[in-house]
Amino acid sequence: QFSRWEKAQTYRRSLFATRWYYVSKLLKQGNHVLLTDVDNIFVRHLPMSRFEESPFDTFHAYAGTVPSFPLNLFRQQGFTICGGMSWLRSTSSVLELVHGLLDKCGCSTLNCTCHCDDQVVLNTLYFKWRPFEVAWDQPLEIPNSTETMSWEGRTGICKKTGHRVKIW
């Protein structure tokens, strides 16, 4: 028997996985997608045209300060990506990335019983799962404090799909 906390956690992780199913549908229809958690705080306005006209196919936000979740990947890479703040261009390469995430979450249909922590899966895709691993344009360094973190952002190319990634 599951505790109340375990049931709530499974339900949340089901929502995390299922939202990417909807993202894949929107991307297939030719829509670019801004995915954001409801608790994100926006501190400035950027017109969507800035994303659309950029050379990048995906934008992801840093997952937090030093250290950030998932901790094991932060310790290896020096940063992690937030699962709840992404902009995704409607291209076959980005759709392939989203399908890779859905595969790892076990989410292939709308009313499935899948569940996962999409932040863990997205970070693992970009950092550890060979076909989707990103070749970063800058060397990775592990910061030991918020002051030594490279907050200017970073860029790279996904080795499997060739899509350009920007972390900001």
Side-chain angles (χ1 to χ4, degrees), residues 77 79 81 126-127 134-138 140 154-156 165 167:
Q77 304 298 322
F79 71 98
I81 297 167
Y126 275 153
F127 296 134
V134 172
W136 298 105
D137 296 333
Q138 308 89 349
L140 298 176
R154 57 182 72 247
T155 58
V165 178
I167 313 300

Side-chain angles (χ1 to χ4, degrees), residues 32-112:
H32 305 318
V33 176
L34 176 64
L35 173 69
T36 176
D37 285 349
V38 297
D39 62 349
N40 279 346
I41 297 171
F42 296 90
V43 294
R44 66 182 171 139
H45 173 265
L46 286 178
M48 294 310 294
S49 60
R50 292 267 307 265
F51 297 102
E52 293 167 359
E53 295 166 3
S54 80
F56 300 101
D57 299 304
T58 61
F59 284 81
H60 304 283
Y62 281 116
T65 62
V66 176
S68 58
F69 177 79
L71 189 56
N72 64 321
L73 294 175
F74 175 85
R75 287 182 177 144
Q76 294 171 33
Q77 304 298 322
F79 71 98
T80 58
I81 297 167
C82 177
M85 183 60 199
S86 297
W87 181 84
L88 306 137
R89 187 182 304 280
S90 176
T91 64
S92 58
S93 58
V94 173
L95 192 56
E96 188 175 350
L97 170 76
V98 171
H99 284 163
L101 187 144
L102 289 170
D103 260 3
K104 295 299 178 188
C105 289
C107 191
S108 57
T109 62
L110 177 58
N111 292 318
C112 66

Side-chain angles (χ1 to χ4, degrees), residues 137-149:
D137 296 333
Q138 308 89 349
L140 298 176
E141 296 177 8
I142 311 325
N144 55 15
S145 71
T146 302
E147 290 76 33
T148 60
M149 177 73 172

